[in-house]
Amino acid sequence: MNIRQTVLLVLAGLLCWQLRGQEEVTIRIKEGMPMIPVALPAFQLNDLAAQKGEIANPVYETLWNDLEFTRIFKMVPREHYSYIPRFNPNAINFKDWASIQANILVSGQLELTADDRVIFSFKVYEIASERFIFGRNFGGKKELARLIAHKAADELLKHFGEKPLFTSKIVYVRESGNDRDIYIMDYDGYRPTRITFSSALDMLPSWSSNNEKILYTSYRNLSPELFMFDIYSGKTELVSSGGSNYAADWSPVADAIVYTSSKDGNAEIYLKNMKTGQEKRLTFNPAIDTSPCWSPNGREIAFTSQRSGTPQIYVMDAEGSNIRRITLEGTYHDSPAWSPDGMRLAFVSRIENRFDIYVYNLKSNEIGKLTENAGRNENPSWSPDGRHLVFSSNRGGAYQLYLVDYDGRNLRQITSSGENKMPKWQKSAK
Amino acid sequence: MKKWMLALLSLSLILTFTACGKKAAKVAPPTQEPVVEKVEEPTTRVEKPVLSEEELFQQKSLEELNKDQVLKRINFDFDKYDIREDMKPLLQANANWLLKFATVQILIEGHCDERGTIEYNIALGEKRAEAAKNYLASLGMNPAKIKIISYGKSKPLVQGVDEASYFQNRRAEFVITKK
């Protein structure tokens, strides 16, 4: 970045932060394509599945909710289906479906076998051309009905050139009584699985880039140390040595992590090669440096530093050089999260004791506010496709996890019991 | 003789009947509390010994010493980790005590109020603990006997959303770990 660009960034940044004072600044980032209207008539059920209706509903509802969530598809309201003759998978009248403004028709068939396995088959049709586009079959245990629906929805996404999203998971901290442990759940809040069982504080989990390991901080040895849990082997190993260690982020391009440690006496950012164990200190400043976060191409690191007197967001090159400040106004910014397309930084700002989540567009220098007048909002983390974020908020009393789109739309709560905090969305799904 | 016996029998019968009659009648609740006799302590009283600070220190367990807060906690300003002027006398008192009992090792816990992010508060709490450690060291305490830890905002002392609660939560606590 040359000086002129830097000056422009500074000026634009100033302007944006001043705008923020007027409240209610929303970002409108044009995603180009209009949403595709999809019709999803009720599934055909075999006798056993029809008898045990409790299978059909979760698969149907999950698939519907997934498709509606994407911002790629728009679901044709169910009540419109009653204007046309009942769906017959063997003799589809495409004109009927075109008349209720559907572009894509998904026809599903659900079978339940005598040994309680679910077989779900779906076919996707393009209505205008009256063509079958593609179909898939999925089978699995009855308990995996929701996963089957997520997989089906991911197939649709892939077919439309998108990255899979619905089989992605979120790691987070769940508090219940005195326990504070780490859990993994589906993106929509279902199927939580506990992965740590210590009586000490476990916190700030994050994913390895291959999604096989979870890095987290635990006080189990009476000081905050960094541990790595292997999801598949179940093994846990200590990663850090000395001081307080936390806020780890795995490189998207290499077997390396960045994290905060005070092992040299002050909160600094370190780079650790996870193959060789070799470490490199990246920041050298008597102030607090923390919350490192890789850019998606692995060339830069966003972080929080208090070197100007208050916590502000900075970006440096991955070797620790070329440090530049991103947030220019306000007195408290932290928890930077780089969007998967590299275009945006989400972070938390405290303004007049309100904690809200902002999204800063690095290209246009526009800033948008995702949350407004509703409790404390913390720890934003992007979905693999960069269209959504998960964050924690105490707007309803206890801390719970919420999903919101990059432009502040489609807010929804995904956890409801106990307290749930510090979510991190997988950076990719299979 | 027989007459006398008969008279006695009839008398006892009458008495029995009257007693029964009384029992059947409603008994009024006692209006007065039973009198409790006051038992005086024996005159030879044992004087409770006044233990010196040293003796107390020897007698009490680590848990008791910490529970009694022989070392006072200090508080901090919002988003700050420098030692407030009004907290210096508390640190001086802590240092005096620690210099008196030179075998003691301590853990200083740094804490924050809830108005910060988790990651930043761990660093801030650590800075607070470190500031307290440095101050004690400047007063002559051996820094090798001080360990520090930060809990960030994970362990608030009080629940509350007012400045008084926040102030109590922005603190450094001095825990005796060895004596």
Side-chain angles (χ1 to χ4, degrees):
Chain A
M1 187 180 290
N2 61 33
I3 291 173
R4 198 169 141 263
Q5 280 175 315
T6 313
V7 169
L8 273 175
L9 184 81
V10 167
L11 285 174
L14 269 170
L15 200 71
C16 295
W17 280 104
Q18 276 155 4
L19 271 176
R20 196 205 48 232
Q22 306 170 348
E23 303 281 318
E24 198 69 55
V25 182
T26 46
I27 40 169
R28 288 276 173 268
I29 298 156
K30 288 194 180 76
E31 291 285 307
M33 293 235 299
M35 291 193 274
I36 304 163
V38 174
L40 182 67
F43 298 152
Q44 307 298 308
L45 308 176
N46 77 340
D47 290 348
L48 211 51
Q51 273 172 33
K52 298 183 178 179
E54 80 268 22
I55 307 299
N57 283 340
V59 177
Y60 183 87
E61 292 301 332
T62 306
L63 184 58
W64 179 285
N65 291 338
D66 282 355
L67 296 181
E68 196 167 52
F69 181 73
T70 56
R71 304 288 293 266
I72 305 289
F73 306 114
K74 184 173 72 185
M75 302 309 283
V76 174
R78 255 173 291 228
E79 50 275 24
H80 293 187
Y81 302 177
S82 60
Y83 305 151
I84 59 173
R86 205 181 151 84
F87 175 66
N88 178 358
N90 302 317
I92 302 172
N93 188 344
F94 289 101
K95 299 272 183 304
D96 288 343
W97 294 96
S99 75
I100 57 166
Q101 315 299 324
N103 283 14
I104 295 293
L105 177 71
V106 180
S107 148
Q109 189 188 335
L110 205 72
E111 280 178 50
L112 189 64
T113 63
D115 58 346
D116 266 355
R117 287 176 66 81
V118 176
I119 298 164
F120 177 59
S121 318
F122 71 93
K123 290 174 182 167
V124 180
Y125 300 91
E126 190 181 56
I127 289 164
S129 61
E130 306 198 352
R131 263 190 321 141
F132 165 77
I133 308 177
F134 79 105
R136 292 279 187 283
N137 303 317
F138 294 102
K141 278 187 233 159
K142 193 172 78 171
E143 299 77 52
L144 299 177
R146 298 192 62 88
L147 180 62
I148 287 171
H150 288 319
K151 282 194 176 287
D154 267 353
E155 287 302 316
L156 262 146
L157 274 188
K158 285 191 220 168
H159 194 83
F160 284 87
E162 296 290 327
K163 288 181 196 159
L165 171 69
F166 305 112
T167 48
S168 65
K169 296 190 175 277
I170 292 168
V171 65
Y172 62 105
V173 172
R174 182 174 154 74
E175 265 180 57
S176 143
N178 283 329
D179 255 3
R180 184 186 270 203
D181 283 291
I182 294 173
Y183 284 70
I184 295 174
M185 65 182 176
D186 288 355
Y187 93 95
D188 56 4
Y190 283 84
R191 305 197 304 144
T193 308
R194 185 173 168 182
I195 63 163
T196 68
F197 295 85
S198 82
S199 55
L201 293 177
D202 291 337
M203 56 204 287
L204 294 168
S206 64
W207 296 92
S208 67
S209 55
N210 64 3
N211 294 325
E212 288 175 7
K213 295 181 173 91
I214 302 290
L215 290 156
Y216 64 96
T217 291
S218 176
Y219 282 73
R220 65 192 57 174
N221 297 338
L222 299 175
S223 78
E225 292 173 309
L226 204 58
F227 290 88
M228 184 166 67
F229 172 77
D230 187 309
I231 297 170
Y232 295 96
S233 74
K235 281 184 192 149
T236 302
E237 60 180 285
L238 179 64
V239 172
S240 61
S241 53
S244 302
N245 304 276
Y246 48 98
D249 191 33
W250 200 293
S251 164
V253 296
D255 264 344
I257 61 167
V258 278
Y259 69 105
T260 307
S261 177
S262 63
K263 60 179 170 176
D264 293 330
N266 185 42
E268 304 285 357
I269 294 166
Y270 293 80
L271 173 73
K272 186 184 176 96
N273 182 320
M274 297 304 276
K275 266 193 183 147
T276 63
Q278 206 180 0
E279 289 208 300
K280 187 186 171 192
R281 184 167 156 186
L282 298 182
T283 57
F284 297 85
N285 195 295
I288 293 168
D289 293 310
T290 183
S291 311
C293 156
W294 293 95
S295 69
N297 62 12
R299 288 197 202 123
E300 291 167 303
I301 294 162
F303 65 105
T304 301
S305 178
Q306 169 251 358
R307 58 189 66 195
S308 71
T310 57
Q312 302 287 340
I313 311 275
Y314 293 76
V315 168
M316 62 182 166
D317 291 353
E319 309 79 43
S321 55
N322 192 19
I323 296 173
R324 56 266 190 212
R325 187 167 156 181
I326 297 293
T327 50
L328 299 162
E329 279 193 30
T331 55
Y332 201 107
H333 312 285
D334 189 21
S335 309
W338 217 310
S339 70
D341 62 2
M343 296 268 289
R344 296 163 215 158
L345 272 177
F347 51 84
V348 174
S349 295
R350 185 183 68 206
I351 291 155
E352 286 160 5
N353 280 322
R354 289 183 185 283
F355 286 72
D356 282 302
I357 292 167
Y358 292 81
V359 172
Y360 178 74
N361 188 314
L362 291 160
K363 254 197 177 155
S364 68
N365 297 317
E366 282 178 83
I367 202 152
K369 195 176 181 185
L370 291 194
T371 56
E372 182 95 48
N373 295 335
R376 266 197 300 279
N377 304 284
E378 297 180 48
N379 296 98
S381 173
W382 292 93
S383 66
D385 67 350
R387 288 193 178 89
H388 317 275
L389 295 105
V390 60
F391 64 96
S392 67
S393 175
N394 67 349
R395 58 186 63 200
Y399 271 95
Q400 298 298 348
L401 303 184
Y402 295 80
L403 301 183
V404 69
D405 290 356
Y406 65 89
D407 55 3
R409 288 203 272 176
N410 296 329
L411 179 85
R412 68 162 157 161
Q413 187 178 341
I414 54 166
T415 59
S416 54
S417 72
E419 294 223 31
N420 301 283
K421 299 172 177 175
M422 302 176 232
K424 275 270 162 75
W425 210 319
Q426 275 180 344
K427 285 177 184 169
S428 61
K430 276 173 193 160
Chain B
M1 182 67 188
K2 254 187 186 175
K3 247 185 184 176
W4 180 81
M5 285 266 280
L6 203 73
L8 197 70
L9 189 74
S10 53
L11 189 72
S12 64
L13 268 172
I14 289 163
L15 275 172
T16 319
F17 272 117
T18 39
C20 285
K22 257 189 187 164
K23 220 176 190 176
K26 219 177 184 182
V27 181
T31 48
Q32 256 188 325
E33 287 286 312
V35 180
V36 179
E37 260 186 70
K38 210 173 185 182
V39 180
E40 288 292 328
E41 285 234 347
T43 43
T44 49
R45 276 219 297 258
V46 182
E47 280 288 327
K48 222 179 177 181
V50 178
L51 291 179
S52 67
E53 215 179 355
E54 283 80 4
E55 285 165 318
L56 276 171
F57 174 73
Q58 292 303 331
Q59 216 174 63
K60 287 184 175 176
S61 68
L62 284 182
E63 287 75 24
E64 285 170 326
L65 286 170
N66 283 324
K67 205 178 157 202
D68 293 352
Q69 287 180 39
V70 292
L71 296 174
K72 305 290 174 221
R73 61 173 76 100
I74 58 166
N75 301 97
F76 292 84
D77 283 329
F78 185 44
D79 279 349
K80 295 281 193 307
Y81 48 82
D82 37 342
I83 306 291
R84 285 164 57 117
E85 281 304 317
D86 59 339
M87 296 296 154
K88 286 179 179 171
L90 292 173
L91 281 173
Q92 182 67 59
N94 286 350
N96 292 346
W97 191 90
L98 288 164
L99 290 171
K100 202 170 190 176
F101 303 108
T103 53
V104 165
Q105 294 185 7
I106 61 166
L107 173 71
I108 306 179
E109 295 180 358
H111 297 272
C112 304
D113 71 31
E114 61 183 17
R115 293 171 302 167
T117 52
I118 291 154
E119 305 93 308
Y120 190 76
N121 273 346
I122 298 177
L124 183 62
E126 193 168 38
K127 284 279 197 189
R128 285 176 177 162
E130 196 187 276
K133 175 184 172 174
N134 291 342
Y135 199 84
L136 288 180
S138 76
L139 297 175
M141 192 182 169
N142 179 2
K145 296 195 166 166
I146 309 174
K147 282 208 166 101
I148 61 168
I149 190 171
S150 171
Y151 284 105
K153 60 172 173 174
S154 302
K155 292 191 170 181
L157 189 65
V158 293
Q159 299 292 338
V161 291
D162 51 294
E163 176 45 34
S165 308
Y166 293 148
F167 180 71
Q168 285 193 65
N169 289 335
R170 293 192 300 268
R171 69 199 191 277
E173 292 198 23
F174 303 83
V175 183
I176 300 162
T177 53
K178 197 179 168 192
K179 64 172 199 174

